[in-house]
Structure formats: structure tokens, C-alpha cells
Amino acid sequence: MKSNNPNVAEMMNGFERICKAKGLRVTHQRTEIFRALLKHTDHPTTEGVFQQVRKHLKTISLDTVYRTIATFEEHGLIRRVHQIDNATRFDVNISNHHHLVCSRCNKIEDFYWPDFDRMKLPKSTSHWSGIEVKHVVVNGLCSTCKKKT
Ligand SMILES: [Zn+2]
Ligand SMILES: [Zn+2]
């Protein structure tokens, strides 16, 4: 399912709008880093984003990319994807969605599950508060790996 194919120009406009609304300066570096996150729709790691941005901004450091991504995350522009392999990955798709993860190649694909999203947590979790993310990870074989078997 190809659900993560954003219209880059539109998303970039959205980015600028959100930055302005939140009082974040829209710098060239931030714009390039966000664009790299958008183009890299497979839930990139910070290193992956760095490799991409570097092609355009030769002088950028990994540390800057780390700090910028942390700023984006803080302001809700991107989301950290938990529980998936050992690397920290980021998601520009901040709408409610879940992940299919390939047990062989670690490919991550988005999927939507409105029925799940509507479900209430069971009573046994009611002594916890501040629960935010209800995120399902489904493991299996992606279509490429399935073909190889
Ligand atoms: Zn795979
Ligand atoms: Zn995702």
C-alpha cells in the first residue's frame, strides 16, 4: 500500500506555515532538512537524512541535523517512530497511522486502521494517565522479500 506519497510542494508550504505559527525561523538549513525528511518517506534515521541533506549543503554537520530534527519533533512537525529496529527513525506523516515492518529487510510501511483508532483502551490500563500513542507494529514479510522466497 502506497499511502505515504506526499505532495512535496504542498507539504513544504505547510511546513512554513507551521513554523511561522510556532515562532520557528524558516532557515535554509531547516527547509532542506525538512525536504529531505519528506523525500525520504521510509521513516529515515538521522544519519539517513544527513546523507541526503549533505548533497545540497556540503558544510552541514551531523550535529546540526540532530538538533534540527529534535526541534522539529519538539514542535510536532515530525514524529519519532518507536519500537522499530534499533535505530531511531522519524516520520513526517504525523496523522494517526500504524506500521508494517518487514522482519527480513526492516522496510517500514504506513497503514491506516480507523477501526483500531476508534477502540478504547481496556479498563486494565485505567490507572495510567497521559497515554498518548496507540501505535500498532505488524511484523511480516514485505512484498519484495516475499517474492524472493
Ligand atoms: Zn522486506
Ligand atoms: Zn509512518
Side-chain angles (χ1 to χ4, degrees):
M1 190 169 68
K2 258 258 177 304
S3 55
N4 201 348
N5 196 2
N7 176 336
V8 173
E10 211 172 276
M11 300 277 289
M12 287 312 295
N13 284 335
F15 168 70
E16 285 183 23
R17 235 185 7 253
I18 295 170
C19 282
K20 279 178 191 146
K22 302 200 175 204
L24 267 183
R25 270 193 311 133
V26 182
T27 63
H28 183 55
Q29 277 187 344
R30 282 179 179 162
T31 306
E32 285 303 316
I33 291 169
F34 195 75
R35 197 191 307 277
L37 279 158
L38 278 182
K39 282 190 177 161
H40 220 98
T41 54
D42 57 347
H43 308 80
T45 60
T46 303
E47 286 78 8
V49 172
F50 173 61
Q51 296 305 337
Q52 175 83 26
V53 173
R54 235 176 148 180
K55 292 180 196 159
H56 309 285
L57 296 173
K58 303 253 182 275
T59 54
I60 199 153
S61 68
L62 179 60
D63 189 54
T64 302
V65 177
Y66 264 107
R67 274 186 287 116
T68 307
I69 284 180
T71 306
F72 289 167
E73 194 189 352
E74 224 170 88
H75 289 81
L77 284 156
I78 57 171
R79 207 158 74 170
R80 186 183 287 253
V81 181
H82 296 275
Q83 307 136 320
I84 296 173
D85 60 34
N86 287 321
T88 303
R89 292 170 174 277
F90 295 92
D91 206 336
V92 280
N93 183 356
I94 51 169
S95 61
N96 221 351
H97 70 279
H98 308 279
H99 292 118
L100 284 159
V101 180
C102 181
S103 344
R104 192 162 300 168
C105 71
N106 283 336
K107 178 191 168 84
I108 304 170
E109 239 175 67
D110 291 344
F111 74 98
Y112 294 86
W113 194 0
D115 286 345
F116 177 88
D117 299 335
R118 274 191 294 271
M119 275 199 307
K120 289 207 174 81
L121 282 166
K123 277 216 170 71
S124 56
T125 62
S126 63
H127 58 299
W128 277 56
S129 59
I131 292 170
E132 284 169 59
V133 185
K134 286 187 289 162
H135 168 218
V136 177
V137 175
V138 176
N139 283 104
L141 279 186
C142 73
S143 51
T144 316
C145 291
K146 191 183 153 203
K147 265 183 225 140
K148 285 184 198 152
T149 52

